[in-house]
Amino acid sequence: DEGLSRAVRTVFVRLHREGLIYRDRRLVNWDPQFGSALSDLEVEMREVKGSLWHLRYPIEGSDRFITVATSRPETMLGDTAVAVHPEDERYRDLVGKFVILPITRRRIPIIADEHSDPEKGSGAVKITPAHDFNDFAVGQRHNLPMPSILDKQARVTLAELDLATANPFLKTLEGQDRFAARKAIIAHLEEQGLLDHVEATTHQVPHADRSGVVIEPLLTVQWFCKAEELAKPAIAAVEEGRIQFVPRQWENTYFAWMRNIEPWCISRQLWWGHRIPAWYGPDSAVFVAEDAEAAQAQAQAHYGRAAALTQDEDVLDTWFSSALWPFSTLGWPDETPELARYYPGDVLVTGFDIIFFWVARMIMMGLYVMGEVPFRTVLINGLVRDERGQKMSKTKGNVIDPLSLIEAYGADALRFTVAAQSGAGRNIKLGVGLVESNRSFVTKLWNAARFCEMNGAVPALSFDVEGARLPLSRWILDAASRTVAEATTALEAFRLNDYAQACYRFVWGDFCDWFLELAKPGLTGEDAAELRAVAAHVLGIILRLLHPVIPFVTEALWDQLGYGPEGSLIRAVWPEPETVEGADAARAELSWVIRLISEIRAIRNEMNVPAANQIPVFLHDASAATLDRAERWQDAVKRLARVSGIAPLHGPIPKDAAQAVLDEATLVLPLAELIDLAAERARLAATRAKAAAEAEKLARKLENLDFIARAPEEIVAENRERLDVTQAEIARLDAALARIA
């Protein structure tokens, strides 16, 4: 893109002009397969089983040896010193003396440096400055030569070695791959009696994150950025709270890297990325400019004449270009209306794995170029794992293809599932069952909206919340208002799971299961006008609340039902909580009705009462107010709980009746004539015994410290969840048994 390319060139030239980008010969991570330098962040440390070879280096002028331990014997060809710790008594007399490096027969010094650890290996280490980052630092401290002995394909090269006194064997290594050379060198040293012993070991080996090959530290000329200078204001921005991480603990990860940041190698030898805007003259003079014409003008001033220039063939690390994203995409370096309006951004949503790659670099570049942070909040989301909490992998066969889920269950169902599982910073356990369940939720919403439409509950009806007179209307309006407040608070705090779950509870429970069911008879009666208007009003709130996570179905319903012009839901005003007159009384009334129906349904279900059986319900010790309430809602209770009627119970509670406490009254269901209560007690007791045995087994497992220490985290979590579910089932069964005790 020409606009982004221009932004990249502009920033590069500015950083170079101010001394923050420079060219230097330094040790870099080199990918021999891709033939390119990599940043530290593109290197993946892998645990590898290998060997530690203990090699004898002859001490000059004596028959003594000093033994060094190395996991990379092939690099000994580039050794320029042997280091021992300054306080290691074993080698104090050898500091300042020389060894004769095997094979090359070069004379190299024994030096004292704290890099050597007396507790590791022999306490003496070989120093190869051109092929090891720690050794490079030692080489700089002691001004050691730095010959490269491997080329860019990780093959042995003798170009920088003196062959005059070398063992003839050395020439046979020319052009060999590093690992082939390793085998040949070990065999040769063993023949010469210079291999002391070999020790099996497990160590961390750097690999290129894309090609997967072993990284080769290589001394090359590259372009670098003084990241440590750019990091200072970026650190301060987070310390001062101008940028906040959510969850907060990710700030520690950010600080740990930023406070120890190294020079950033920004050049790559690849075929993608923005080409470095640097041109070279006949004498290798460098001219950094935004284009060839500007570079030529610099050359003219430098040479006093026109000169043939060659542009650098390297490209920039793509993360350098991406670091400019918050402002380059808005038209910078031009002063565009988009830049004025949208920079800085508000919230960046991203994964923890690119805090270093991208987040930190956007902050550094945003502050450097714009003088302002690029965003105020960094929301770190978790990883998507399988339903057992395991990382998805092809090997395990637990990879879920999101496109397949969308094809089977719809984009809205998948989107809602992910949101409902997304606690701040928490990993997402994604399973097909969850997505299927949430497809049912989306279908429920669709059917509820169609029901409203078929019963005349359309947005064209005028409605004033203050005019609601029915307890049912006031109750659902109050519940909607409370849900709006809860969902909005959760969204503002980035608790997407709490937001989604608040919407789910209200839509499925309050609106569909209770309001619409209780309102059905009234939609065609004398209260129809109010109930239809209330239903349409609340449905409009629901569509706006759910639009962020169920965008397609809500938009279709919004358009189809006529809540606004086509495509207008995305621009609709977010709902606000509303004060509902008489809400407290309505909430108390409907709460009682819902609990009454729910208790009856629970007893019927637990006691296996056939659905067709209409059973009588009695209220024992009920107050006059409770009996009046039962009378008012009798028709709804009879219809929704499948009972023949509700009546007060005078005298003692009959034997073998199921009971439940409802405020001051006792709910009584005489079941003796409908079911075999003895058999039902036996069934419930057997089910409870089985559940109790399972709970005891799980509890013992979780009390086993060896299991907790050895089992994968997701297995431990799964067992804890199973124990919670089993204990909840036991509590339910105990309540059922108590009802018919």
Side-chain angles (χ1 to χ4, degrees), residues 39-42 245 250-259 261 264 317 319-320 323 350-364 378 380:
S39 76
D40 293 343
L41 297 177
E42 295 167 291
F245 280 75
W250 290 110
E251 289 182 4
N252 298 328
T253 304
Y254 172 82
F255 288 138
W257 186 67
M258 292 288 276
R259 289 169 178 160
I261 200 166
W264 176 13
D317 176 9
W319 292 108
F320 181 93
T350 188
F352 65 83
D353 51 337
I354 54 173
I355 289 176
F356 309 141
F357 281 109
W358 197 36
V359 179
R361 288 168 175 172
M362 283 194 287
I363 295 173
M364 288 191 285
V378 180
I380 301 295

Side-chain angles (χ1 to χ4, degrees), residues 480-492:
S481 183
R482 288 169 174 269
T483 301
V484 167
E486 183 182 354
T488 304
T489 300
L491 271 182
E492 289 174 347

Side-chain angles (χ1 to χ4, degrees), residues 365 541 637 706:
M365 288 299 190
I541 293 173
V637 176
D706 189 53

Side-chain angles (χ1 to χ4, degrees), residues 86-155:
E87 298 176 5
D88 194 334
E89 294 292 341
R90 294 173 295 175
Y91 302 116
R92 190 181 294 275
D93 65 317
L94 296 180
V95 175
K97 296 185 183 296
F98 291 82
V99 300
I100 303 300
L101 184 63
I103 303 176
T104 67
R105 293 177 179 166
R106 280 188 292 112
R107 183 173 177 262
I108 62 174
I110 300 173
I111 61 174
D113 193 280
E114 291 186 353
H115 167 59
S116 176
D117 185 350
E119 303 299 322
K120 278 188 171 182
S122 65
V125 293
K126 56 192 283 304
I127 303 299
T128 318
H131 295 281
D132 183 275
F133 286 97
N134 291 322
D135 292 3
F136 180 76
V138 175
Q140 287 183 314
R141 286 196 291 272
H142 295 270
N143 197 28
L144 297 174
M146 299 186 180
S148 290
I149 53 90
L150 294 172
D151 64 16
K152 292 180 178 180
Q153 287 74 45
R155 299 173 305 197

Side-chain angles (χ1 to χ4, degrees), residues 73-291:
E74 66 278 10
T75 62
M76 69 178 294
L77 303 179
D79 287 358
T80 54
V82 171
V84 297
H85 195 277
E87 298 176 5
D88 194 334
E89 294 292 341
R90 294 173 295 175
Y91 302 116
R92 190 181 294 275
D93 65 317
L94 296 180
V95 175
K97 296 185 183 296
F98 291 82
V99 300
I100 303 300
L101 184 63
I103 303 176
T104 67
R105 293 177 179 166
R106 280 188 292 112
R107 183 173 177 262
I108 62 174
I110 300 173
I111 61 174
D113 193 280
E114 291 186 353
H115 167 59
S116 176
D117 185 350
E119 303 299 322
K120 278 188 171 182
S122 65
V125 293
K126 56 192 283 304
I127 303 299
T128 318
H131 295 281
D132 183 275
F133 286 97
N134 291 322
D135 292 3
F136 180 76
V138 175
Q140 287 183 314
R141 286 196 291 272
H142 295 270
N143 197 28
L144 297 174
M146 299 186 180
S148 290
I149 53 90
L150 294 172
D151 64 16
K152 292 180 178 180
Q153 287 74 45
R155 299 173 305 197
V156 174
T157 175
L158 307 179
E160 297 183 28
L161 298 182
D162 181 3
L163 305 180
T165 59
N167 186 319
F169 167 73
L170 180 60
K171 292 184 179 180
T172 68
L173 299 174
E174 178 80 60
Q176 285 197 37
D177 174 77
R178 52 186 165 168
F179 300 121
R182 176 184 296 179
K183 292 179 181 178
I185 288 170
I186 290 300
H188 177 78
L189 293 175
E190 190 169 17
E191 288 176 7
Q192 301 297 312
L194 298 177
L195 177 61
D196 190 88
H197 69 281
V198 184
E199 178 185 345
T201 186
T202 300
H203 55 152
Q204 298 288 325
V205 177
H207 288 71
D209 65 348
R210 287 191 176 90
S211 68
V213 301
V214 176
I215 285 293
E216 186 57 53
L218 203 64
L219 198 57
T220 64
V221 175
Q222 302 289 339
W223 289 91
F224 293 88
C225 180
K226 289 184 179 178
E228 64 275 17
E229 293 300 319
L230 296 176
K232 292 174 184 175
I235 291 169
V238 178
E239 287 177 334
E240 295 164 6
R242 286 181 285 140
I243 296 177
Q244 293 186 338
F245 280 75
V246 179
R248 196 69 177 267
Q249 72 258 24
W250 290 110
E251 289 182 4
N252 298 328
T253 304
Y254 172 82
F255 288 138
W257 186 67
M258 292 288 276
R259 289 169 178 160
N260 297 282
I261 200 166
E262 296 288 335
W264 176 13
C265 178
I266 58 174
S267 50
R268 299 289 183 271
Q269 293 68 45
L270 302 168
W271 280 23
W272 59 83
H274 293 96
R275 194 169 178 182
I276 288 176
W279 284 260
Y280 301 97
D283 59 353
S284 297
V286 183
F287 305 100
V288 173
E290 291 189 28
D291 53 43

